[in-house]
């Protein structure tokens, strides 16, 4: 219901933010014990637990007849292949030949065009591209993308900076980025109540402004020699 939508979205963001707090610490510990492959060891049981919890907790649909849309298998396969090609194209030293990243980049372009063409023709696409015709929705999605890139880039780059430049351990690097996640937890918990008092335009503009100030602070304080 509209009166509880803001609170529900706030709880959803809170759960994701809590995972950001716990994730770097557990990931740092797993990396210290098992090496970088330990990250994938940790993710597997968490994913299986999430699937089991979803089956047990999420309520079933209404008993009345509902329209069932077929799953877009071709879109899922194309999107998976596209993401894999992009990751390989952007990964330094991927493969044993220097031309592999360039080849993956070319393949990703072909897959992107193919994915868009397939999605446009399908009645029930994996990604409804018609949403981008709405200027408001397109701008919101673009803002969310830019904000997510900025937020997760800080978590990634600061942890790598701590290890490569300052020489701290993987566990300490995980603890180093915890303030980002803690701030997200606090903001997400307050978002539901704030949406009842302030307009979405005011909240999003204020949040993006604070994010920009924080990013500027990181840029000005970090130095190449590991000091601040």
């Amino acid at each position: 219901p509209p009166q509880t939508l803001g609170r529900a979205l706030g709880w959803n963001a809170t759960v994701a933010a809590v995972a950001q707090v716990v994730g770097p610490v557990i990931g740092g510990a797993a990396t210290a014990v098992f090496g970088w492959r330990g990250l994938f060891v940790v993710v597997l049981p968490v994913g299986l637990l999430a699937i089991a919890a979803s089956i047990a907790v999420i309520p079933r649909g209404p008993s009345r007849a509902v329209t069932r849309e077929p799953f877009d298998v071709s879109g899922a396969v194309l999107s998976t292949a596209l993401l894999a090609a992009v990751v390989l194209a952007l990964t330094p030293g991927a493969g044993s030949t220097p031309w592999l990243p360039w080849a993956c980049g070319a393949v990703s372009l072909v897959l992107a065009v193919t994915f868009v063409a397939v999605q446009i023709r399908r009645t029930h696409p994996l990604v409804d591209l018609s949403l981008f015709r709405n200027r408001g929705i397109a701008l919101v999605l673009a803002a969310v993308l830019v904000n997510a890139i900025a937020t997760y880039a800080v978590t990634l780059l600061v942890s790598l900076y701590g290890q490569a430049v300052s020489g701290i351990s993987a566990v300490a690097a995980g603890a180093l980025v915890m303030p980002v996640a803690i701030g997200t937890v606090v903001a997400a918990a307050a978002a539901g109540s704030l949406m009842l008092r302030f307009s979405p335009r005011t909240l999003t503009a204020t949040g993006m402004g604070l994010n920009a100030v924080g990013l500027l602070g990181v840029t000005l304080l970090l130095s190449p020699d590991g000091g601040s």
Side-chain angles (χ1 to χ4, degrees):
Q3 64 270 19
T4 59
L5 177 60
R7 187 172 292 105
L9 292 175
W11 275 108
N12 183 60
T14 301
V15 172
V18 169
Q20 293 181 38
V21 174
V22 178
V25 178
I26 296 179
T31 303
V33 176
F34 303 106
W36 64 267
R37 294 177 178 83
L39 296 175
F40 300 96
V41 176
V42 173
V43 168
L44 179 60
V46 173
L48 295 176
L49 179 62
I51 294 175
S54 300
I55 296 175
V57 175
I58 296 178
R60 300 295 187 270
S63 57
R64 65 178 182 275
V66 295
T67 302
R68 295 184 178 274
E69 297 181 358
F71 181 69
D72 185 9
V73 177
S74 59
V77 172
L78 284 172
S79 64
T80 302
L82 171 60
L83 291 174
V86 170
V87 169
L88 290 175
L90 298 178
T91 301
S96 57
T97 54
W99 53 264
L100 182 59
W102 294 98
C104 291
V107 171
S108 64
L109 292 177
V110 174
L111 289 173
V113 174
T114 305
F115 177 77
V116 171
V118 170
Q119 296 301 285
I120 291 176
R121 290 183 173 86
R122 288 192 63 85
T123 305
H124 302 293
L126 182 70
V127 178
D128 188 358
L129 299 178
S130 64
L131 293 174
F132 293 94
R133 298 174 184 174
N134 185 304
R135 182 172 177 269
I137 294 178
L139 289 176
V140 167
L141 293 176
V144 170
L145 174 63
V146 172
N147 184 63
I149 291 175
T151 302
Y152 289 106
V154 169
T155 304
L156 175 64
L157 295 179
V158 170
S159 62
L160 293 177
Y161 174 89
Q163 296 177 78
V165 179
S166 300
I168 62 177
S169 64
V171 178
L176 184 64
V177 299
M178 282 185 63
V180 177
I182 293 174
T184 305
V185 171
V186 175
S193 300
L194 292 175
M195 285 184 64
L196 301 177
R197 301 182 180 182
F198 302 96
S199 66
R201 183 188 298 271
T202 301
L203 288 178
T204 52
T206 303
M208 296 290 272
L210 292 173
N211 204 6
V213 172
L215 292 172
L216 179 62
V218 171
T219 303
L220 296 177
L221 292 177
L222 295 183
S223 62
D225 58 2
S228 60

